[in-house]
Amino acid sequence: LQAFQERAGHANVPSGHVEDGEKLGVWLSDQRTRYQLRGLSEAERKRLSASAMSDEEVERLEALGVAWDVLAEQWERMFGLLQAFQERAGHANVPSGHVEDGEKLGVWLSDQRTRYQLRGLSEAE
């Protein structure tokens, strides 16, 4: 992971990534699962036959920049790009095809609007 981070500049390894014959992406996904297990009781972890991550392991991975909730981190990044767009353009009506800092900000904002609209629908709708 450290070699990947040094080369790529981040520690968000794609799930299918293999590094020197090792399934690094799968391994990192497993570490994220172990991190989430920290919130369970010892009895729950025992029932699942799973071990939680130690504080030292958490610190070492965080030092490399591992994000525990990749989707939340991505959302925050896109929101920051939207803020930058709004400050520059004076509005947040991003055109659907607009790309900001290499990210499809217009598509992302459209997806957020769709998610907002879906919040009001019942399961029958």
Side-chain angles (χ1 to χ4, degrees), residues 45-75:
R45 289 194 301 265
K46 191 172 188 175
R47 186 181 64 77
L48 295 170
S49 299
S51 65
M53 185 173 282
S54 71
D55 291 344
E56 180 186 351
E57 290 171 318
V58 170
E59 290 170 12
R60 290 176 68 192
L61 290 171
E62 286 179 346
L64 291 178
V66 168
W68 301 117
D69 187 337
V70 177
L71 295 178
E73 183 178 273
Q74 181 183 23
W75 192 92

Side-chain angles (χ1 to χ4, degrees), residues 1-2 4 6 14 18-19 22-23 35-36 40 44 46 49 56 61 63 77 81-82 84 86 91 103 116 119-120 122:
L1 179 61
Q2 189 171 2
F4 177 92
E6 288 171 0
V18 176
E19 185 95 5
E22 299 291 332
K23 295 179 179 179
Y35 178 82
Q36 292 171 346
L40 299 180
E44 280 290 312
K46 191 172 188 175
S49 299
E56 180 186 351
L61 290 171
R77 173 168 163 62
L81 293 174
L82 177 61
Q86 190 275 331
H91 62 83
E103 300 285 351
Y116 175 78
R119 287 185 346 164
S122 68

